[in-house]
Amino acid sequence: DLGEGPWTFDDLDYGSHMLISVPSPKGGVLVIADESILYYSPGRKAQCALAMKPTRISCYCRVDDDGHRYLLADSEGALYVLILFG
């Protein structure tokens, strides 16, 4: 739950191409770009530059019900695990 709107995101990467909803209790949204992943939740923002070559994430699957782990796949078939801490 991102709370009341409207929301503005002035610092998004131009390569942003996917939004992933993060369920409660953590809540928020992941913004997937070619070179970074942003996590937004009420009153909080975290950014992670990808420790790999720029790639286009093409699909994802939430691994656990609480939304702490996600399996991501890129257009070349590589798999990645994204873990949200905190």
Side-chain angles (χ1 to χ4, degrees):
D1 179 16
L2 289 176
E4 295 295 318
W7 285 73
T8 60
F9 303 108
D10 298 327
D11 55 350
L12 290 181
D13 184 332
Y14 286 114
S16 298
H17 61 274
M18 183 182 291
L19 298 174
I20 299 174
S21 174
V22 178
S24 294
K26 188 170 239 354
V29 65
L30 293 166
V31 180
I32 308 295
D34 295 340
E35 298 183 23
S36 66
I37 296 175
L38 290 166
Y39 169 68
Y40 287 95
S41 71
R44 184 173 177 186
K45 180 183 92 171
Q47 181 172 6
C48 172
L50 300 181
M52 58 190 181
K53 68 179 173 116
T55 188
R56 189 149 190 88
I57 300 298
S58 57
C59 59
Y60 72 93
C61 178
R62 191 170 65 222
V63 175
D64 43 23
D65 291 336
D66 64 4
H68 281 88
R69 295 181 298 162
Y70 294 83
L71 182 63
L72 308 174
D74 69 14
S75 57
E76 297 176 12
L79 296 175
Y80 308 92
V81 175
L82 172 69
I83 302 172
L84 298 176
F85 292 100

